[in-house]
Amino acid sequence: MFRETITHQGGTTNGNASEAHAMLILRRAVTRGYTIDASTDGGATVSWTARRFGVGTQVIEAPRSIELVPHLPVGNALTVRTCEDLLLIDSERHPATYDPEARVITGGIWRIPPAASARLRARGLVHAGDDNSVRLTLVTRLALIARDHRTRTTEPEGWHRPGPNDPPSAGLNKPGRRAGMLHSSASVAICECGEFSRHCGDREEARRAATAHRRDEFTTYLKLLTAAPTPV
Ligand SMILES: [Zn+2]
């Protein structure tokens, strides 16, 4: 379950969204090319610009968004061990089921001990259906993808002494106390996934590049997830 905040023409409206409804919102966002942000707590924000005709040929643009905040935020629940268990549950080769007698989640060749199985369910990380099939919840999936793509930007060097790779005369024409110094506002955007780093002219540009990378990854992932034949 999510708390849903919709920003529309008349202000904001709060309500609740079931997992199925949240999936619907995300599927529509993917189809329409809206901006999607995921949070490490398992929430998501969809934003877009609404356009309508004003007087004559005037087009009025207004920001719109839907924010989904989980009732049970993931918080610090995703330890290394928990992530390993979630990986087992998510494997397609051995579908996970809940054994109510032994009170364990099992995939046949593996089983998660009762205490850990109970914790996964109590924290809302997995959902056990009426037929005892077990799957990850949407909250868990959003938190995992957001954690995979945590980005940072490096601090620009600013004024600094020339390094071994700079020409010997570098910075000598600078006035006052900055003679012999070089200035760099360059910043690098880096993602924890290890597959993205970009050298940018300044930190603002690096922040924009990092945000664009995260959003690309969320959209690609949600495209696959919302196209899956089974819910979540
Ligand atoms: Zn990444």
Side-chain angles (χ1 to χ4, degrees), residues 4-224:
E4 182 187 27
T5 305
I6 306 172
T7 303
H8 48 80
Q9 198 181 342
T12 60
T13 306
N14 293 302
N16 286 315
S18 66
E19 192 176 61
H21 183 64
M23 278 295 279
L24 207 67
I25 291 168
L26 293 172
R27 185 176 298 137
R28 205 164 50 203
V30 167
T31 312
R32 295 182 183 178
Y34 292 167
T35 300
I36 304 169
D37 291 295
S39 85
T40 51
D41 259 344
T45 304
V46 170
S47 44
W48 69 99
T49 303
R51 291 183 181 84
R52 60 189 174 86
F53 290 106
V55 182
T57 54
Q58 188 191 16
V59 177
I60 300 167
E61 294 193 340
R64 297 277 190 270
S65 66
I66 301 176
E67 190 187 11
L68 298 163
V69 177
H71 280 261
L72 208 57
V74 167
N76 57 5
L78 292 180
T79 60
V80 173
R81 189 60 211 263
T82 302
C83 286
E84 285 170 5
D85 289 343
L86 292 172
L87 215 58
L88 283 174
I89 294 168
D90 203 32
S91 84
E92 283 179 0
R93 287 180 62 191
H94 304 284
T97 55
Y98 182 66
D99 178 344
E101 267 171 42
R103 287 183 295 163
V104 295
I105 296 169
T106 172
I109 58 162
W110 54 262
R111 67 204 291 274
I112 298 167
S117 288
R119 205 162 42 239
L120 288 172
R121 298 181 69 197
R123 292 294 304 247
L125 297 176
V126 301
H127 173 81
D130 293 338
D131 59 353
N132 285 327
S133 64
V134 177
R135 59 167 177 80
L136 308 196
T137 59
L138 178 59
V139 170
T140 305
R141 292 193 184 280
L142 288 170
L144 287 172
I145 185 78
R147 273 155 208 256
D148 277 354
H149 297 283
R150 277 182 292 207
T151 56
R152 65 186 178 88
T153 57
T154 59
E155 176 109 39
E157 234 180 325
W159 288 102
H160 63 281
R161 304 227 158 264
N165 296 327
D166 291 313
S169 62
L172 285 181
N173 61 343
K174 296 287 186 314
R177 291 164 62 189
R178 283 178 177 158
M181 304 276 276
L182 291 175
H183 186 269
S184 169
S185 56
S187 171
V188 186
I190 304 160
C191 182
E192 276 191 25
C193 68
E195 283 167 21
F196 171 83
S197 73
R198 185 164 301 159
H199 291 261
C200 298
D202 59 48
R203 205 166 201 181
E204 202 36 54
E205 188 189 333
R207 286 197 182 108
R208 281 200 300 274
T211 303
H213 164 71
R214 284 197 313 269
R215 288 175 171 172
D216 279 354
E217 293 293 333
F218 299 155
T219 303
T220 305
Y221 176 74
L222 287 168
K223 212 175 265 181
L224 289 171

